Amino acid sequence: MIEIKNNILYFDGCNTLDLAKEYGTPLYLYSENLILSKLNEIKSSFLNKYDNTRAAYAGKAFLTKYMCKLIEKEGLSLDVVSGGELYTAIEVDFPAERIEFNGNNKSIEELEMALDYNIGRIIVDNVYELERIIELCREKNTTSNLLFRITPGVMSDTHDYITTGKKDSKFGIPLDEDILFPAVKKAIKSEYVNFLGFHFHVGSQLHNNLSHVGALDVVLKLIEKVKILFDFNIKEFNMGGGFGIKYTEEDDPMPISYFVDPLMKRLDSFCQNLGIVRPSVVMEPGRFIVGEAGIQLYTIGSIKEIPGIRTYASIDGGMTDNIRPGLYQAEYTGLIANKASDKSNKTVSISGKCCESTDILIKNIKLPNPESGDIFAVFSTGAYGYSMANNYNKIPIPGVVLVKNGKSELIVKPQNYADMISRELIPKHLR
Ligand SMILES: Cc1ncc(COP(=O)(O)O)c(C=O)c1O
């Protein structure tokens, strides 16, 4: 899907220079064929390979009406983490039973919205939330399917900021017996909630399966304990997401089967030994589905040489459209789309236009003599770029264009200056 023809970068059959001209820069691009190829891998290595499985797209990676429609059409479920994400899904009539709601501080309004739309599952993140859900269900005379997100206490080989499964985490119910088991008992006994089982998410951008396997061992112990204590067999287990992708040459991502196969094998033999039916198994990938399917285009403006130290090539976007390098030192690579096969002879740092020294998109990348007016393309920007976009320095959020087999279509209009200040009010005494 990423090709170079006549020294020009093409993405899913589209000439990126033409796209930059037509839609302007900065610009988010998504290749539908690349998204579909990832969904196909999930289908062949997980959904079609193992019975009684589901995959829920973690919408936080990139949630738009388009993604909801595509995910629905492809038969996946959807994981939302806020009223806004749920609203997006409701607006396009995403099937309620295929929605699950994660998050460590769902508000009463968000829980009510979820119950009113009758979504498939709420993933309970703490005991306080369990009590709120039971209360709300009683008031509304309704019921809800629940999973408990646990904190399995395993470390993962990723940046500390995107590690979520270790013990000291804001996410999930701790394993302490006097916290977890009374909550499980309450959920099993309650007439208002239907306890299905356990969920974990151990971290993101993982290239090895040790955290998933370690966390599964924790869940297996819980399955056994819950059976002994409450004579209850869990019906569902959710392994979260976290499957890594390729950002730079250093990344060597593993296929989905590398994560899933050992888990399924262990779970199957454990259930056989215990004489229980294997629970349904769910995964929740976000980055894996959209990360490599997105690229971003920028126009290079100022070039600043500091002799003997560094050359900065500044782009017309930055931490407002991709905050990840500034937030947790995420690394990317890219090329000059109009000099795509020229020899890279100059080391530069690509800096954003925001008033913040950490607004450096790529430190030290070799490029073919970058000049003002060049179009710079950054790869693997599809996850957590657009969805974390912000208006720092009152910079508008760029538009999003979908490309497929040489055709392009706008799926999110770019923000303009008027959009950005449309909700601002002047107080009476200054009018
Ligand atoms: C509960 C949960 N599920 C799924 C995901 C998706 O993770 P990834 O995009 O790494 O697959 C996250 C990410 O933070 C998460 O917190």
Side-chain angles (χ1 to χ4, degrees), residues 58 60-61 79 81 102 149 164 171 199-201 203-205 240-243 284-288 383-384:
K60 59 180 80 71
D79 158 38
V81 289
N102 262 295
R149 175 171 180 172
T164 54
F171 298 108
H199 168 290
F200 61 67
H201 174 75
S204 276
Q205 183 54 3
F243 317 121
E284 245 171 33
R287 183 190 318 269
F288 178 82
Y384 306 103

Side-chain angles (χ1 to χ4, degrees), residues 261-292:
D261 289 349
L263 254 60
M264 296 307 284
K265 199 168 163 211
R266 241 173 156 94
L267 183 61
D268 268 339
S269 71
F270 172 85
C271 290
Q272 253 171 31
N273 288 343
L274 203 64
I276 59 169
V277 178
R278 165 169 73 64
S280 133
V281 181
V282 184
M283 63 160 64
E284 245 171 33
R287 183 190 318 269
F288 178 82
I289 293 174
V290 288
E292 291 176 22

Side-chain angles (χ1 to χ4, degrees), residues 38 49 115 272 344 386 410 421:
K38 295 297 183 172
K49 187 165 171 187
L115 293 174
Q272 253 171 31
S344 297
Y386 173 78
L410 198 63
I421 61 167

Side-chain angles (χ1 to χ4, degrees), residues 28 170 240 302 312 327 359:
Y28 295 101
K170 73 170 183 165
S302 334
Y312 288 99
L327 194 60
D359 186 24

Side-chain angles (χ1 to χ4, degrees), residues 20 114 155 227 338 344 367 396:
M155 298 299 283
K227 184 173 166 56
N338 50 303
S344 297
L367 294 176

